[in-house]
Structures are given as C-alpha cells and as structure tokens.
Amino acid sequence: MSRDGMNYAPEFKGNEKVVETGEFVFAAAFFDHGHIYGQIEGLASVGGTLGYIYEPQAERYESVLKAHPEAKVVSDFREILDAPEVKLVTAAAIPNLRCEIGIQVMDAGKDYFTDKCPVTSLEQLDLAKAKTDETGKRYMVCYSERLSSESGWYAGELIKGGAIGRVLQVLNLAPHNLAAHTRPDWFFDKQRYGGILTDIGSHQCEQFLEYTGATDGVVNFARVDNLGNPNHPGLEDFGEASLTLDTGASAYCRLDWFNPAGSKIWGDGRTFVLGTDGYLEIRKYRDIVKGGGDHIYLVDQESEKMIDCAGKVGYPFYGKFVLDCLNRTEHAMTQAHAFKAAELSLKAQQLADKARS
C-alpha cells in the first residue's frame, strides 16, 4: 500500500467479467485526479473495453495506454461524445467542472461515471438531477472508499444480513496524506475543490446511507478549518460533521490532512458501526497490529472475530454497474443514493462555512 493517496487504486483481482470484449465500450477523460486510474481499471476488470482517451497531458495517460493499447487518444472531447459505440464516459476532472462535463455526456446519450465529489454546489446538484430526469442517463459516482474496498463492501453485506442487528451509529475516521508539494494548484482553491466536507465528506455520507439503510438525514453540526497549513490558506485541512439519519441512527465523521509521516500508507481510514446486537470495525487500508488491510473486526452476541477480506471479496460494484448501464437497472447503486450522499455532504459544508464566516 502506497503513501500516494491521490493515485491510489486497488488491483481489482477476483472480479469476474460480466461482458465480452467490445460489448461495453467506455471512454476515459479529464485525468485531473489520480482516482481516474482506479475507475478505468474497475470497469476494465469486469470486461469493459476502453475505447477512447481524452486528456491534454500525455504523461497522465501513458501508463493507461500501455495497459490498453486498443484505446484511441483524441484531441477533442467532442469526438468521444459523438462516438456511437461509447456507452459511458468516466472522468476525474477538477471538482467544480464535473457537473458541466456530466451534462455534456448525458446530452450525448451516454452514462457518466465521475470521481467523487460529483458536484461542488447544491445548484450544480439540481442541474445534474434535472438532466438525469430529462435524459434517463446515469450520473454515477465512484465513492471508492466503499466501492473499491473489499472490507468496505463486505461490511455492508454483513450489516444487510443482520450480523449486528439494527444499526444505531456509524463513525468514520479518515486521515489523509497531504504531500502538498505534489498537489496541483486547484487542490488549494476552495472554489474549485468545494471544501473538505464536500470532497472527502461525500465518501463518508455515502457510507452513512449504505450502512444504516437510510435514504435521508439531517446535519446537526459541521466544522471546517485550516489548523496546520498557513502557507495554503485556501486549504481546509480539518473537517467534522454529525448527522441524524431518517432511520434514527446517528453518524459522525472526522476528515483531515494530518496523516503522520510514520504511517506506511496514505491514510489509516477506519469505520465503526454499532448495532443493537453487536458492532464491527472496518480497517480498510491498514491494520497496524496484524499488518495488511481490508480487515473487519466483528463482535456479536456469540463471539468476536477478525475477518480478512483481502483477495476474497473482489469489487462487485463494477460488474453490477456495467450491467445496470446495459439493462437500465439499479442493482449497483441507485441514482437517488448517489445524489443524496452528495447532498448531505454539501449541506454539511454549507453549515460549516456559515459557522466559520
């Protein structure tokens, strides 16, 4: 596991192909965030065919082209939009530009799969909602902290199966490695990245909804600040929020850019879920006691155990999502769920901004 969180992506081992070569052609564009590499490989791991690449900076896509030599590099994004065989466009643009790109993609009759955060304002969210309603196309989001985590995904399956009873609370801790010298200018411009709760917080809100089975919630408290990076005044390096979900469950997250230098990975993200009949802890990326990652610690009414998910669960979202695009179903994630996670994180950011002003 690397300390480079911006370009982190799992190897997607164990995924079964759900389509034959050429049956699901997709394009990749706007490589502004390194999550694009995971988005591409997640789709390719289930049989998706990378047909086109649009990215002005060649060094960003060289490794992708080596892995997918069949892909055509184009100099005009319009060529992708006009390609009839392309069913989906995946992108990781600068956050405040993601909505405009998604609307172009849906207007061209294609589904859209963007890095989180999917939008940076409630106004953009309204535009995206309206366009999905108008076109019937998907504006799906790669909430990779769960979708690209074997333990994160399997924890959801355990909870749905009743392993800990009714969920009472979800607690997310998400330290991240800053490495400021490696970050682009937009990373420090709040108008472009949207704020720490809008950005990283969208991951956490998605997990709140998934693990509790909620469809909505209320933000009770939210805070953002720059506590340790005065040379980058536009950066919010600390954020936290507390929510009450429509199931009655409570949720709290802490997000920060203070992952210490002694950490062997980019961030020791942990999730704790309390239920009426037990609790579990998800150690997605690092277990400093046992080594490795993708571990779940589960304690119920009968026993306590550690479940090693690494290499055993795979990444089911991607196959389900590709089939959803082909069959117009919603088995991987509903559009309402994807948008609600963004909405809650935006409302938390709004509340925190108001308190800080």
Side-chain angles (χ1 to χ4, degrees):
M1 185 73 72
S2 168
R3 283 183 55 84
D4 181 9
M6 187 163 179
N7 295 303
Y8 167 72
E11 295 183 11
F12 295 103
K13 293 180 179 178
N15 271 2
E16 294 184 7
K17 295 189 183 302
V18 298
V19 290
E20 299 298 326
T21 301
E23 187 179 353
F24 185 83
V25 177
F26 69 96
F30 303 100
F31 290 36
D32 293 290
H33 196 297
H35 286 169
I36 187 65
Y37 305 112
Q39 292 163 223
I40 292 169
E41 295 311 319
L43 295 169
S45 71
V46 295
T49 301
L50 178 61
Y52 294 85
I53 295 171
Y54 171 74
E55 167 48 52
Q57 298 184 42
E59 65 273 14
R60 289 179 172 177
Y61 63 74
E62 287 173 347
S63 63
V64 175
L65 200 56
K66 287 181 180 178
H68 304 275
E70 72 282 0
K72 178 183 178 182
V73 178
V74 299
S75 59
D76 186 346
F77 185 51
R78 189 76 237 174
E79 189 170 343
I80 288 174
L81 298 179
D82 291 341
E85 70 273 26
V86 172
K87 298 184 183 299
L88 173 140
V89 177
T90 190
I94 296 170
N96 68 323
L97 303 179
R98 291 172 184 171
C99 180
E100 179 183 350
I101 293 165
I103 287 173
Q104 291 181 53
V105 170
M106 291 186 289
D107 274 338
K110 306 177 191 310
D111 292 317
Y112 182 51
F113 185 42
T114 180
D115 184 20
K116 63 78 208 152
C117 54
V119 294
T120 54
S121 70
L122 289 168
E123 291 75 19
Q124 286 187 348
L125 181 60
D126 286 341
L127 290 172
K129 286 180 176 180
K131 188 58 68 172
T132 59
D133 289 342
E134 174 193 332
T135 63
K137 295 301 175 182
R138 300 288 161 73
Y139 191 117
M140 195 47 60
V141 188
C142 188
Y143 292 115
S144 55
E145 281 197 19
R146 184 176 68 88
L147 307 182
S148 297
S149 164
E150 291 186 277
S151 55
W153 182 276
Y154 190 59
E157 299 301 294
L158 287 171
I159 292 166
K160 289 174 188 173
I164 58 173
R166 178 169 56 88
V167 173
L168 304 177
Q169 187 200 41
V170 180
L171 169 63
N172 272 341
L173 305 178
H176 284 63
N177 195 44
L178 180 58
H181 66 285
T182 69
R183 301 288 181 173
D185 291 343
W186 62 259
F187 181 85
F188 303 102
D189 182 348
K190 185 173 177 178
Q191 292 302 312
R192 302 173 83 187
Y193 75 85
I196 192 170
L197 290 172
T198 296
D199 183 23
I200 304 175
S202 64
H203 276 308
Q204 316 314 322
C205 288
E206 193 279 326
Q207 290 171 82
F208 294 161
L209 294 172
E210 177 67 17
Y211 294 147
T212 63
T215 58
D216 205 350
V218 176
V219 181
N220 304 313
F221 162 81
R223 175 193 177 200
V224 296
D225 212 331
N226 183 316
L227 300 178
N229 291 276
N231 293 335
H232 299 288
L235 175 69
E236 292 173 352
D237 58 22
F238 182 90
E240 58 182 336
S242 170
L243 292 79
T244 301
L245 301 166
D246 62 4
T247 60
S250 69
Y252 172 84
C253 61
R254 188 207 76 214
L255 326 166
D256 67 77
W257 291 102
F258 291 106
N259 189 51
S263 173
K264 294 182 179 181
I265 57 167
W266 58 267
D268 185 10
R270 297 188 184 185
T271 301
F272 303 81
V273 186
L274 173 67
T276 53
D277 297 326
Y279 64 85
L280 60 81
E281 176 190 350
I282 315 166
R283 298 190 182 185
K284 300 187 186 80
Y285 309 113
R286 181 69 177 165
D287 189 326
I288 60 174
V289 176
K290 295 184 177 295
D294 267 323
H295 295 165
I296 296 174
Y297 288 87
L298 173 64
V299 182
D300 58 22
Q301 303 291 1
E302 298 179 354
S303 66
E304 53 185 31
K305 56 187 173 183
M306 189 274 281
I307 304 169
D308 183 1
C309 300
K312 300 177 175 65
V313 176
Y315 305 88
F317 168 82
Y318 293 91
K320 291 175 181 288
F321 176 51
V322 165
L323 292 177
D324 280 346
C325 291
L326 291 173
N327 301 326
R328 311 319 294 171
T329 51
E330 287 192 309
H331 299 306
M333 180 186 295
T334 67
Q335 187 64 71
H337 178 96
F339 280 154
K340 182 58 68 172
E343 179 188 325
L344 291 175
S345 64
L346 287 165
K347 287 182 175 179
Q349 184 73 50
Q350 193 175 65
L351 185 61
D353 289 343
K354 183 178 180 181
R356 195 182 182 197
S357 62

